[in-house]
Amino acid sequence: MISILGKWHQDDRKSYRKGCPQFFIQDDRLFEKWDDRHVAFLKHEFLRLKNAVVLWTMHPWERDARLMKEALVKGPQAYGVIIEVASTRSSEQLLGARRAYHSLFDHSIEEDVAYHINDSRRKLLVGLVSSYRYEGPKVNEEIAKSEAKTLFAAIKNADKKNPIEDEEVVRILTTRSKPHLKVIFKHYKEINGKNIDEDLDDELSLDETMQCLCTPQTYFSKVLGAAFQNGADEHAKEALTRVIVTRADDDMKEIKEEYQKKYGVSLSKKIEDAVNGNYKDFLLTLIARGE
Amino acid sequence: MATLRLPDVVPSPTQDSERLRVALQGWGVDQEVIIWILGHRNAVQRKKIKETYQQHFKESIIHCLQSALSGVLGKAIAYWMEEPPERDAKLVEKTLKRGKAGITQLQVIVEIACASSPNHLMAVRQAYCSLFDCSLEEAITSKVSSSLQKLLLGLVSSYRYDRELVDLNVAKSDAAKLHEAIEMKQLDRDEVMWILSTRNFFQLRATFEHYKQNYQVPIYQAIMSSGSDDLRSLLRVVILCIDAPEKHFAEVIRASLSGHRTDFHSLARAILARVEIDMMKIKEEYFNMNKISLDDAVVRKTSGGYKDFLMTLIGARI
């Protein structure tokens, strides 16, 4: 595009303007005027591409640190990104992000989370960003069973005390290894007959945390689905760049499979239909990596 | 300031390994040579010796030292040769394994979390996962009573900012929050734990200083005056380790040397951990507390190779 545009003479550019009535309106004072909506649209598309490229070329640690900081600054509706980053990364990846956060912002992430978040999610979020989970396969079945009972009791007691502020619930979710948590949820289903996420309808953050920890592909495909919905807000749409750039090297293949299963259409087809320009091409290239 | 003395010209790790091999293999183990070499090498040099010894002789030097040197000297030297993160991870595991862990045992965890660098604490967490198939936090959960668990979990999970950045407004507001919690006797508030666990050490020292100036009493005294329970005792250790670790370690050393039986393990632990950090300050503190020098106290209460080793480390013996 740049090599073509850069070579156009004045006459070429005039022909372009006259030949595209959908972008340029003939004005009474005898010139072809850019349609304002399309200028805004182009600016927006270039911005999205720029954001995607900048995010893609960043070191993953810096990327995660900046994503968490941005979420803190944006406020409560963005705190889900903190849950996402803290729960879907490996222990070493999260440690790297914490290091980068020191360099970029002169504070520790847990310090900033403890001091800027004022709602019921604070305890959970401080714990999540501070975790360094064991990543081996060893699981203590007895402890997992007993912790499943603890979670069950806390959820049943939700009308008296919000489970997200229950110290035991937070401790279990923020310190146990991912394999251990999967065993807990298996026992939960045995005790209760229902999956734990079915019981957590009201507590979105807890539900998201559990999904991120145990079935991140389900979580990510849901986030992508929300980005494509009609009426999706800016925050939901930005998730498209964030999810694709941050997962392209990790579990993109599994996310694509999950997306296809859930929405009945391939992710690439959806991007083709819903997104434009170089930004679209960039996203499609990223999700095709490793194929 | 460190008391560890290094030679002007440090022999190569190969030379050291060969000398140590000879000392370990002879008819009678030559303790003098072992103490002379290892007692004058810093952490980086000791690591190189370990690696070189393993390469040349296909054996772990720590195993050789433990077999050749018996009793408390053998344990102390093996401890000295471990990588600090592995050493501390094993120390915590042993401490927690002992059954009911009281303040004297749990203060070991506080020392690691509050009296050493954030990078060291992080390295201990990593080492713990590799060595024991669970995270440090999970180990604390299973062995520590719930009243102390929250504070310890917070302390070991933190990865504090490590540069000197102090905000006096934050010092003021944090001091006020701590004061309120102390006055209301609600020391198990989340906020207390967050302030002590997440702020950088320089910020916390500024906060404690502000507390003393504003409320006319040092914060740890205010805590102890407000009641007496395990949580308060632990909080006192936390504050001391952050604000004046030399005072804490001087106390640990004093406690290990008092009484009929010297607590060899705690004495070695405290000395070896601080020899390369602030042993000089600890010695000053020790003298202020007890009116007798640490050198004299160690001579009186210990003997043999163990005594020689400690004296070498604290700079009392060439």
Side-chain angles (χ1 to χ4, degrees):
Chain A
M1 181 173 79
I2 290 171
S3 60
I4 296 173
L5 282 178
K7 290 189 186 123
W8 279 354
H9 295 299
Q10 278 199 351
D11 290 339
D12 298 320
R13 299 197 304 272
K14 185 170 179 143
S15 306
Y16 173 70
R17 289 192 297 271
K18 286 218 181 285
C20 292
Q22 65 274 42
F23 294 161
F24 296 91
I25 307 167
Q26 191 63 31
D27 187 275
D28 292 340
R29 292 184 181 86
L30 303 178
F31 69 99
E32 310 84 30
K33 194 180 67 169
W34 254 118
D35 180 338
D36 281 335
R37 282 173 316 159
H38 277 105
V39 175
F41 180 78
L42 262 186
K43 272 193 188 161
H44 199 72
E45 287 300 314
F46 282 138
L47 185 64
R48 286 219 197 176
L49 177 64
K50 178 211 86 170
N51 287 342
V53 169
V54 166
L55 205 63
W56 174 246
T57 46
M58 235 184 239
H59 192 293
W61 294 357
E62 180 176 351
R63 196 192 287 161
D64 283 348
R66 286 192 187 275
L67 285 173
M68 289 195 283
K69 177 68 160 180
E70 212 178 274
L72 266 180
V73 165
K74 276 202 190 135
Q77 75 277 22
Y79 292 164
V81 174
I82 301 176
I83 295 179
E84 179 184 305
V85 172
S87 310
T88 59
R89 310 310 190 236
S90 74
S91 298
E92 283 293 313
Q93 285 169 337
L94 181 57
L95 175 58
R98 291 170 86 176
R99 290 200 170 113
Y101 198 96
H102 285 180
S103 295
L104 294 166
F105 307 114
D106 290 337
H107 285 272
S108 62
I109 173 76
E110 58 268 27
E111 196 180 348
D112 281 356
V113 169
Y115 291 91
H116 294 293
I117 295 188
N118 282 311
D119 63 25
S120 60
R121 291 175 282 182
R122 180 158 61 162
K123 243 213 267 275
L124 176 68
L125 284 151
V126 172
L128 286 175
V129 301
S130 308
S131 64
Y132 187 83
R133 298 174 202 262
Y134 163 65
E135 292 188 313
K138 201 159 163 225
V139 175
N140 184 317
E141 286 277 342
E142 285 311 307
I143 295 183
K145 234 187 238 170
S146 137
E147 288 180 339
K149 293 196 184 114
T150 305
L151 288 178
F152 182 64
I155 291 171
K156 286 300 151 224
N157 203 26
D159 48 356
K160 295 204 196 79
K161 181 170 186 184
N162 192 342
I164 205 176
E165 291 187 281
D166 181 302
E167 268 171 25
E168 283 292 281
V169 172
V170 170
R171 177 191 60 77
I172 292 169
L173 290 179
T174 60
T175 64
R176 289 298 179 201
S177 74
K178 292 175 184 179
H180 183 102
L181 287 167
K182 291 192 176 127
V183 174
I184 290 182
F185 300 149
K186 179 188 89 179
H187 283 294
Y188 187 96
K189 184 154 183 198
E190 282 166 20
I191 300 172
N192 191 28
K194 274 199 274 175
N195 278 322
I196 192 168
D197 48 358
E198 293 166 52
D199 273 347
L200 278 173
D201 278 337
D202 293 333
E203 201 31 84
L204 187 63
S205 294
L206 278 183
D207 190 23
E208 272 179 4
T209 304
M210 292 185 197
Q211 267 199 355
C212 284
L213 288 168
C214 295
T215 52
Q217 303 84 27
T218 310
Y219 167 81
F220 284 120
S221 69
K222 221 172 50 170
V223 170
L224 288 171
F228 289 123
Q229 264 186 349
N230 283 330
D233 63 14
E234 218 23 69
H235 175 68
K237 286 194 203 165
E238 273 169 8
L240 185 60
T241 303
R242 183 182 79 241
V243 172
I244 291 182
V245 167
T246 58
R247 308 314 287 174
D249 278 334
D250 263 276
D251 51 359
M252 200 61 201
K253 184 160 167 286
E254 289 84 352
I255 295 173
K256 286 196 294 194
E257 282 166 14
E258 195 58 39
Y259 187 91
Q260 172 87 51
K261 241 189 344 188
K262 193 173 165 72
Y263 297 102
V265 61
S266 78
L267 182 59
S268 14
K269 173 101 188 17
K270 191 70 195 177
I271 293 175
E272 275 289 353
D273 293 342
V275 184
N276 299 303
N278 292 292
Y279 174 58
K280 173 190 77 177
D281 295 334
F282 189 57
L283 291 183
L284 289 174
T285 314
L286 289 182
I287 69 173
R289 280 160 67 81
E291 270 175 20
Chain B
M1 295 221 53
T3 50
L4 185 71
R5 290 203 200 139
L6 304 177
D8 291 330
V9 180
V10 182
S12 73
T14 308
Q15 284 174 301
D16 277 340
S17 301
E18 283 169 3
R19 279 251 212 69
L20 286 164
R21 183 68 166 180
V22 169
L24 284 163
Q25 299 249 293
W27 259 113
V29 173
D30 193 341
Q31 267 179 199
E32 275 298 323
V33 168
I34 296 172
I35 292 173
W36 168 246
I37 297 176
L38 296 178
H40 292 289
R41 301 289 181 272
N42 64 31
V44 171
Q45 292 160 344
R46 296 196 303 275
K47 185 170 176 186
K48 289 213 182 94
I49 293 173
K50 252 195 334 201
E51 288 164 357
T52 310
Y53 192 96
Q54 177 77 41
Q55 259 171 26
H56 282 255
F57 305 114
K58 309 287 185 262
E59 271 187 293
S60 143
I61 192 174
I62 295 184
H63 281 155
C64 294
L65 288 163
Q66 280 172 324
S67 330
L69 301 167
S70 58
V72 287
L73 174 62
K75 290 205 178 96
I77 294 226
Y79 194 72
W80 180 239
M81 290 302 287
E82 290 251 43
E83 294 294 310
E86 275 80 24
R87 176 197 73 197
D88 283 351
K90 288 180 186 171
L91 178 62
V92 172
E93 198 257 352
K94 234 192 242 154
T95 300
L96 291 175
K97 218 162 59 173
R98 273 206 200 132
K100 186 175 182 314
I103 301 299
T104 323
Q105 289 78 42
L106 294 176
Q107 67 185 2
V108 165
I109 300 177
V110 175
E111 285 166 18
I112 296 168
C114 301
S116 61
S117 77
N119 279 324
H120 176 73
L121 172 60
M122 207 56 237
V124 172
R125 287 172 86 182
Q126 288 169 309
Y128 203 96
C129 284
S130 310
L131 290 168
F132 303 115
D133 283 332
C134 73
S135 65
L136 179 55
E137 300 90 289
E138 287 175 291
I140 289 174
T141 303
S142 55
K143 292 290 170 60
V144 176
S145 70
S146 54
S147 63
L148 302 176
Q149 227 180 68
K150 188 161 87 172
L151 178 61
L152 283 174
L153 285 179
L155 291 173
V156 306
S157 310
S158 73
Y159 187 38
R160 300 172 203 261
Y161 179 65
D162 58 352
R163 308 269 161 93
E164 188 161 350
L165 189 71
V166 176
D167 181 330
L168 292 174
N169 287 322
V170 167
K172 194 165 151 190
S173 70
D174 279 357
K177 289 180 188 156
L178 290 170
H179 179 72
E180 194 188 302
I182 294 173
E183 293 290 293
M184 309 273 285
K185 301 199 197 290
Q186 288 171 353
L187 285 163
D188 60 348
R189 275 190 194 176
D190 283 344
E191 268 184 337
V192 172
M193 192 251 305
W194 285 328
I195 290 172
L196 295 175
S197 306
T198 67
R199 293 294 187 203
N200 76 62
F201 290 131
F202 305 94
Q203 177 68 55
L204 283 170
R205 286 175 203 135
T207 300
F208 299 154
E209 182 57 39
H210 187 92
Y211 192 103
K212 194 163 87 170
Q213 285 177 3
N214 235 36
Y215 304 108
Q216 279 81 51
V217 60
I219 184 172
Y220 65 89
Q221 230 176 282
I223 291 175
M224 296 313 282
S225 316
S226 78
S228 68
D229 56 10
D230 279 348
L231 180 59
R232 282 171 175 76
S233 306
L234 199 64
L235 281 167
R236 184 180 168 275
V237 177
V238 170
I239 291 167
L240 215 53
C241 281
I242 293 172
D243 204 25
E246 63 278 359
K247 286 203 171 85
H248 168 77
F249 284 103
E251 260 182 38
V252 170
I253 292 173
R254 186 198 59 77
S256 67
L257 287 170
S258 62
H260 289 305
R261 290 194 59 212
T262 304
D263 180 349
F264 296 111
H265 177 72
S266 298
L267 179 63
R269 175 194 108 231
I271 290 182
L272 272 58
R274 307 309 283 189
V275 147
E276 291 174 88
I277 302 176
D278 56 359
M279 184 50 76
M280 263 195 218
K281 270 191 176 175
I282 295 174
K283 284 172 81 164
E284 271 172 38
E285 238 359 273
Y286 187 90
F287 182 78
N288 290 338
M289 263 185 213
N290 304 294
K291 304 307 172 209
I292 162 180
S293 78
L294 178 59
D295 300 357
D296 286 343
V298 170
V299 165
R300 278 193 209 173
K301 291 289 218 148
T302 64
S303 59
Y306 178 79
K307 178 192 78 183
D308 294 341
F309 182 51
L310 291 186
M311 296 293 278
T312 307
L313 292 180
I314 64 178
R317 190 178 185 257
I318 303 301

